[in-house]
Amino acid sequence: MTAPILEATRIVAGYEPGLPIVRGASIAAKAGEITAILGPNGAGKSTLIKAIAGLVLVSSGKITLADADITETPAHQHIRQGLAFVPQTENVFAGMSVEENLKIAVHILPKAARADRLEKTFALFPDLARQRQLLAGRLSGGQRQMLAAARALVVEPRVLMLDEPSAGLSPKFVASVFAKLVEIRQIGVAIVLVEQNVRAALAIADRAYVLVEGENRHEGTARDLANDPNVAALYFGAHTERAA
Amino acid sequence: MNLQFVADGLAMGAMIGLGAIGLTLTYSILRFANFVHGEFIAWGAYTGLVVANGLIVLSPKSGSFGPFSFGWALLIGLFAAMLCGVALALLVDKFAFKQLRMQSNTIVLVIASFGLSLALRSLLEFFVTSQPAYYSRDIQMAVPLGLGVRVTPDQLLVLALAAGLLVVVHVILTRTHAGRAMRAFSENPLLAEVAGIDGAAVVRMTWALGGALAAASGVMLGITVQIRPTMGFDMLLPLFAAAILGGIGSVPGAVMGGLIIGLAEAGGVQLFGGSYRAAVAFLILIAVLLVRPNGLFGRRP
Ligand SMILES: Nc1ncnc2c1ncn2[C@@H]1O[C@H](COP(=O)(O)OP(=O)(O)OP(=O)(O)O)[C@@H](O)[C@H]1O
Ligand SMILES: [Mg+2]
C-alpha cells in the first residue's frame, strides 16, 4: 500500500469565527487515484477543499502534502508545492485569452521550462490549442472547465483538486470532462473530485468519502460505496431520481 | 464654435487619462475610491519643480531647449517626480492602508483616504505656500495648425509624452507577468492566489504604477497650466468621471474617458466660459452613473 500524498486530518473550518462549516472531516488522496468527495448540498464539501487550498481559515486540524505540513501555508504558495485547485465557479480569467490564462499559471516554473510545459498542456487539450487567442470568457461551458483544469495542470502538480467540474454541463461535456480526468490520473496525479453527480463520480473514482454536516459519514472504495444501501438511502437515491 | 477646443481638450484629456489609469487600477484592485491619488499629482508636480530648479541653478542651459518653455532639467524632474510618486504611494500603502485593508470595510478606507489626502495637502502647503508656481515664466507662441487651431509646442510635447507613457503602460499590462498578474488579480483575487499570484505584491505594484502615472500627469499639468498645492484635489472630479465613464478597471476606458472629459471640458469652456469647467465633468459623471453605470468598457459587476 502506498502512503497518501495529501492528507487532511480532523479539519475544522468555516467563514466566521465560532461557526464551523467543516467539523472534523478527514480525507486522504493517493497518487494515480481519483478520490471523490460526495455529500448533500451544504454538507461542506466546497468549504473543505477551499480550506485545503488555503482559501478558508482552518481553525484546527492538520493538512500535509507529501509529509510537509501546509496547514498555515498562504494560498499562493500551494501551487508551488504541487497542490492545484480548480474552484467550482469563476475558475478562469474571463477577460484574458486562453494563452494568457496558462501563462500566468506557468510563471511559477523556471523560465527555461515554461514554453515546453505550455506546449505539452496544449497537446493534452487540443480544443484549447486551437483557440489560444480567444478570450476565456467566450469559451463554452465545457471548454471553460477544460481551461480551468489546464491552468491547474500546466505546472505539473502532484495533486489536482476540482470542485464540481461537471456542474452546469450537458451530459456530452460531462463525459468528456470525466474522460479527461481518467487520462490525467494515468500521469500519476492524485485527483480530488468534489461532485454532485454521484453515479458518474463513483464510476471513475477509486475511493470516496461521503460528507454530511461537515463530518465524514461514509468512506471506502468507490465500488463498495456504490453498492452500499446506506449511502444510497442517504442521498443518491434522491439524486438519481432527479436525474432520471 | 471653432476647433480650438479640440487641441486644448486633447492635451488636458491626455493628462486626465494618465491620472485616471492609476485611479481605475487602484479602484479595481484595492476596491475603494482612493482620494490620496490627487495628492500624488500635486507632490509629483512640486518634486518636478524642486528638481528642475535645482538643476537650472547648477546648469542654466538646462532650463530650455528648442521651442519649448522647459529643458532637460524638467525631464529629469519628471523622472524624479515619478519616483516620488512611487515612493509616496508605497509609503501610504505600508503605513496607512495595509493594516486597514485587512480589518476594515470600504467606508473606513474611503474616509481614511480622504483624511490622509487632506493631511498630505496641508503638509505640501506648509512647505511651498499656497501661491501658484510655474516651471517657466516664458511666454510661448502658439503655432497655427490650420482650421483656426493653435497649439503651443509645450502642449504638443506633453501630448507626445502622455502617449509614450500610455504605450509603456499598455506593454506592462499586456506583455509582462507583473501586468498580467495585476489584471488577473483585479478580475478575480481568489483565483489569482490559487494560480500562485501573491496578492500583497500585486497591491504594491498597483500603488507604485498609479503613483508614478499620477506624478507624471502632475508635471504635465504644471507645464501646461500651473502648479498649486490643490491642483491634485481639483483633478479628482475629472479623474473619477473619466475612470467611471471608461468603466472601473479598464485602462483603455480610463484613457478614452480622460480624452472625452478633456474635450467636453474644453468645449464647455469655449461655449459657456471658464467658470463652468468643473460642472462639465460633474454632469458627465452623473449622466454615466444614471445611464450606464458600468461605463463604456466596464465589466458587469
Ligand atoms: N462564502 C461563504 N460565506 C459564508 N458561508 C458560506 C460561504 N460559502 C458557503 N457557506 C455556507 O457553508 C455551508 C456549506 O457550504 P459548501 O459550499 O461547503 O457546501 P457544499 O457541500 O459544497 O454544497 P453544494 O453541493 O451545494 O456545493 C452552507 O451552509 C453555506 O451556506
Ligand atoms: Mg460546493
Side-chain angles (χ1 to χ4, degrees):
Chain A
M1 285 284 279
T2 51
I5 177 156
L6 174 73
E7 271 185 289
T9 317
R10 291 193 297 281
I11 301 299
V12 178
Y15 302 92
E16 283 159 61
L19 263 180
I21 303 285
V22 176
R23 299 176 227 177
S26 301
I27 64 156
K30 288 182 182 171
E33 288 192 357
I34 295 179
T35 305
I37 303 179
L38 312 170
N41 284 325
K45 308 180 294 291
S46 296
T47 307
L48 174 62
I49 61 169
K50 281 193 272 179
I52 296 173
L55 299 175
V56 170
L57 208 63
V58 175
S59 48
S60 85
K62 186 173 175 188
I63 303 162
T64 58
L65 180 66
D67 292 329
D69 187 339
I70 59 161
T71 319
E72 308 270 310
T73 307
H76 71 270
Q77 292 291 353
H78 281 74
I79 188 72
R80 289 177 175 78
Q81 312 221 7
L83 177 66
F85 172 51
V86 179
Q88 179 173 351
T89 54
E90 297 179 11
N91 51 19
V92 299
F93 297 109
M96 307 178 86
S97 73
V98 166
E99 187 169 82
E100 280 184 311
N101 267 272
L102 298 185
K103 273 191 174 166
I104 282 210
V106 83
H107 191 83
I108 63 166
L109 299 182
K111 199 166 185 180
R114 290 177 202 157
D116 186 49
R117 280 303 308 154
L118 210 59
E119 290 319 309
K120 287 216 171 91
T121 307
F122 275 129
L124 188 62
F125 296 92
D127 278 0
L128 297 176
R130 280 191 287 275
Q131 330 197 45
R132 292 173 189 232
Q133 302 311 326
L134 193 71
L135 279 188
R138 308 225 157 163
L139 293 172
S140 71
Q143 287 174 340
R144 256 188 213 222
Q145 289 297 353
M146 293 293 189
L147 177 58
R151 194 270 306 147
L153 285 170
V154 71
V155 294
E156 291 191 298
R158 291 183 285 185
V159 181
L160 172 64
M161 305 194 293
L162 306 108
D163 195 352
E164 298 200 32
S166 74
L169 298 186
S170 68
K172 186 179 130 230
F173 278 123
V174 174
S176 66
V177 168
F178 278 26
K180 192 57 81 177
L181 292 182
V182 170
E183 202 180 324
I184 295 163
R185 167 172 61 185
Q186 272 152 21
I187 313 171
V189 178
I191 298 178
V192 177
L193 176 65
V194 167
E195 262 303 332
Q196 290 270 328
N197 201 332
V198 176
R199 271 195 179 172
L202 285 179
I204 62 163
D206 299 282
R207 283 186 67 78
Y209 296 83
V210 177
L211 240 60
V212 178
E213 290 175 9
E215 296 173 24
N216 292 31
R217 179 66 59 91
H218 302 280
E219 62 179 271
T221 63
R223 182 177 306 160
D224 288 349
L225 285 187
N227 297 327
D228 184 336
N230 289 322
V231 173
L234 187 66
Y235 90 114
F236 71 143
H239 194 84
T240 40
E241 257 167 48
R242 209 190 319 143
Chain B
M1 181 162 197
N2 69 36
L3 290 173
Q4 181 60 40
F5 82 96
V6 176
D8 297 340
L10 284 181
M12 191 65 193
M15 291 179 276
I16 297 176
L18 274 185
I21 290 176
L23 202 64
T24 208
L25 284 176
T26 37
Y27 201 119
S28 71
I29 287 178
L30 309 169
R31 319 250 167 206
F32 74 96
N34 179 18
F35 287 96
V36 187
H37 205 74
E39 305 322 309
F40 301 155
I41 293 179
W43 281 72
Y46 278 98
T47 305
L49 183 68
V50 169
V51 170
N53 283 351
L55 287 170
I56 290 170
V57 169
L58 293 177
S59 158
K61 273 199 186 146
S62 67
S64 74
F65 68 100
F68 307 110
S69 72
F70 57 89
W72 57 261
L74 189 56
L75 291 183
I76 294 176
L78 170 67
F79 187 69
M82 292 174 76
L83 287 184
C84 166
V86 169
L88 196 59
L90 290 178
L91 286 174
V92 164
D93 179 53
K94 185 167 166 68
F95 292 108
F97 289 108
K98 203 172 161 197
Q99 292 304 317
L100 288 175
R101 234 190 351 264
M102 283 186 244
Q103 46 197 238
S104 321
N105 58 21
T106 314
I107 289 295
V108 175
L109 290 172
V110 173
I111 303 282
S113 88
F114 200 81
L116 194 59
S117 113
L118 207 66
L120 282 172
R121 193 155 64 247
S122 307
L123 189 65
L124 190 60
E125 230 164 285
F126 173 77
F127 286 130
V128 301
T129 79
S130 51
Q131 292 302 311
Y134 299 88
Y135 291 123
S136 158
R137 294 194 178 270
D138 295 353
I139 304 292
Q140 271 217 307
M141 299 306 279
V143 195
L145 285 187
L147 296 170
V149 180
R150 302 169 71 86
V151 294
T152 63
D154 282 3
Q155 277 180 321
L156 286 179
L157 193 78
V158 161
L159 209 55
L161 270 177
L165 281 175
L166 290 178
V167 170
V168 171
V169 170
H170 180 77
V171 168
I172 289 178
L173 288 176
T174 57
R175 299 286 145 82
T176 70
H177 177 70
R180 283 193 207 107
M182 286 166 68
R183 284 159 59 211
F185 195 85
S186 99
E187 182 180 324
N188 187 338
L190 283 187
L191 187 62
E193 293 274 347
V194 164
I197 295 167
D198 180 0
V202 169
V203 166
R204 281 195 299 276
M205 249 157 11
T206 309
W207 278 103
L209 184 62
L213 293 177
S217 77
V219 171
M220 295 177 191
L221 265 176
I223 292 173
T224 49
V225 191
Q226 61 175 194
I227 312 168
R228 281 173 297 116
T230 53
M231 63 192 285
F233 182 76
D234 295 343
M235 282 291 278
L236 279 178
L237 184 59
L239 290 190
F240 274 110
I244 291 171
L245 173 60
I248 288 297
S250 165
V251 169
V255 175
M256 280 300 294
L259 291 176
I260 293 173
I261 300 286
L263 286 170
E265 277 192 357
V269 168
Q270 203 179 82
L271 285 175
F272 309 113
S275 40
Y276 292 95
R277 177 183 285 275
V280 174
F282 187 69
L283 284 178
I284 293 179
L285 180 62
I286 298 293
V288 173
L289 287 175
L290 288 175
V291 177
R292 204 182 157 95
N294 294 328
L296 297 175
F297 297 79
R299 290 188 297 266
R300 252 155 258 289

